[in-house]
Amino acid sequence: MAIAHSLCFAQAKGGVGKTSIATNVAGLSAAADLRVLLVDLDPQGDCARDLGYPRDDGAETSAALLAGTEPAVLRNVRSNLDVIPGGALLGDPFLDALLDNRALADALPTRLEAMIRSAGDYDLVVIDTPPGHTSLNRAVLAVVTTVLAPVRLDASSIEATNDLGERFAKARALNPYLTLAGAVLFAVPVTAHRLEADARRQLLELLGSDALVFRSVVRYGVAASKEARDLGKLAFEVDEISEGARVARFAALRANRDGSQIVETTRFISNAGALADDYHNLTAEVLGFMREQHAEFERASA
Ligand SMILES: Nc1ncnc2c1ncn2[C@@H]1O[C@H](COP(=O)(O)OP(=O)(O)OP(=O)(O)O)[C@@H](O)[C@H]1O
Ligand SMILES: [Mg+2]
């Protein structure tokens, strides 16, 4: 049985914003007082970069999935936010073990569900996956309720959603609770209105009438996103820190009007506020979609 209120990302292509969206949506939902579990199933373990917790080798997560042992759960990475960390051992050694042993591969969805349930009760579970179509990616689709497809505006990223409908239909046959919510446009240049409109039209055609292209987009912001990742902070946290620094700079200037002293305070090269706003809007839209979806299931099963 699928885990209620659980979200994953389906996209074969790498670098389309899965991790950035996973961590920012999870972090904002936690800041909005939902109890959130973020599960990183990527050998790259990039959620650690965005949230700034120590990197892990993924050994305990891998063992939980292969042998059914208890996973390591990092509690309170932020208030209301727990994390099951990813890491290198979820890469080739893990996938080889699955290839060599059919029974392990068949047990994977059950083990994944058990691992997530063992961490506790949450209002939202967000799963970050590596790019590609591995057995691990398929197992995720067997246990979640909601799938998002992040897409960049370039043709190859859009074309990569080509077979999403077909893969989704296969997954849906095994998991009737699964809904393909739709595409999220990622790294959108703010002035690229025509490009954005074209991408929306193409995606609606590719995804079919049941899925949507989310109104909220994540704008192009390579400096802000890099700065946030380098600091191990989410966009809204960098925005809060820079707002605090701005206030401190004013206070320092006021206290030093004659300019007799140079007062150093934190300065950021980027403006994370706009990016933070985008993630706020996207989080609200995704949570709204999931609430509706859950209510529909409740009505259907009443
Ligand atoms: N708003 C943004 N605008 C432009 N680039 C961004 C933005 N946010 C993040 N990036 C950059 O885009 C790259 C991919 O982001 P991210 O890691 O979220 O994608 P991913 O789909 O998880 O990648 P992978 O497939 O490697 O797991 C990163 O280098 C990141 O710094
Ligand atoms: Mg990633």
Side-chain angles (χ1 to χ4, degrees):
M1 170 107 172
I3 295 159
H5 309 288
S6 53
L7 176 67
C8 78
F9 303 90
Q11 178 55 283
K13 249 186 106 61
V16 291
K18 294 178 296 291
T19 301
S20 303
I21 296 173
T23 52
N24 280 279
V25 167
L28 279 163
S29 302
D33 283 343
L34 294 179
R35 287 162 305 150
V36 182
L37 176 68
L38 175 66
V39 184
D40 186 356
L41 296 180
D42 192 335
Q44 298 173 101
D46 284 339
C47 291
R49 292 186 201 280
D50 283 1
L51 286 160
Y53 58 82
R55 293 178 72 76
D56 191 274
D57 62 5
E60 284 169 273
T61 306
S62 167
L65 293 171
L66 293 176
T69 51
E70 287 277 308
V73 184
L74 307 175
R75 304 281 174 192
N76 289 312
V77 166
R78 298 290 190 277
S79 177
N80 294 321
L81 178 64
D82 295 346
V83 177
I84 295 181
L89 292 175
L90 287 166
D92 287 344
F94 177 79
L95 295 172
D96 286 349
L98 293 177
L99 280 178
D100 290 347
N101 186 333
R102 183 66 198 265
L104 279 184
D106 290 346
L108 197 54
T110 315
R111 289 257 159 82
L112 176 61
E113 185 187 337
M115 176 179 88
I116 292 171
R117 291 198 193 281
S118 78
D121 274 336
Y122 295 92
D123 301 313
L124 176 70
V125 177
V126 180
I127 305 179
D128 187 21
T129 41
H133 300 307
T134 64
S135 43
L136 182 59
N137 294 61
R138 280 196 302 277
V140 173
L141 292 175
V143 307
V144 301
T145 57
T146 315
V147 188
L148 290 184
V151 180
R152 284 185 183 248
L153 289 192
D154 60 282
S156 97
S157 181
I158 292 172
E159 274 165 26
T161 54
N162 219 338
D163 64 346
L164 187 58
E166 197 182 312
R167 281 189 296 118
F168 174 76
K170 277 192 195 145
R172 175 76 188 243
L174 302 172
N175 173 6
Y177 299 94
L178 191 67
T179 300
L180 176 58
V184 176
L185 296 177
F186 180 77
V188 178
V190 270
T191 53
H193 304 298
R194 262 278 301 285
L195 268 182
E196 185 184 328
D198 287 349
R200 284 181 182 276
R201 210 170 24 251
Q202 272 177 283
L203 284 166
L204 283 175
E205 271 170 32
L206 286 174
L207 291 174
S209 55
D210 287 344
L212 56 92
V213 179
F214 279 78
R215 206 173 54 246
S216 320
V217 305
V218 178
R219 78 188 59 200
Y220 187 82
V222 82
S225 61
K226 180 176 185 313
E227 198 157 53
R229 196 164 266 190
D230 288 349
L231 288 167
K233 302 277 181 206
L234 301 171
F236 83 96
E237 295 171 332
V238 176
D239 186 40
E240 278 170 7
I241 297 169
S242 58
E243 177 57 28
R246 232 175 348 255
V247 171
R249 269 200 303 280
F250 263 119
L253 186 63
R254 235 178 262 123
N256 182 37
R257 272 173 302 210
D258 62 358
S260 58
Q261 264 180 305
I262 293 174
V263 184
E264 290 288 341
T265 65
T266 317
R267 287 181 66 233
F268 291 90
I269 49 163
S270 66
N271 177 1
L275 194 58
D277 287 350
D278 286 352
Y279 281 120
H280 264 278
N281 291 337
L282 179 63
T283 301
E285 205 180 346
V286 169
L287 292 179
F289 179 91
M290 292 179 79
R291 189 175 50 242
E292 236 342 273
Q293 183 196 351
H294 189 75
E296 244 170 64
F297 278 128
E298 300 256 283
R299 276 196 295 276
S301 56

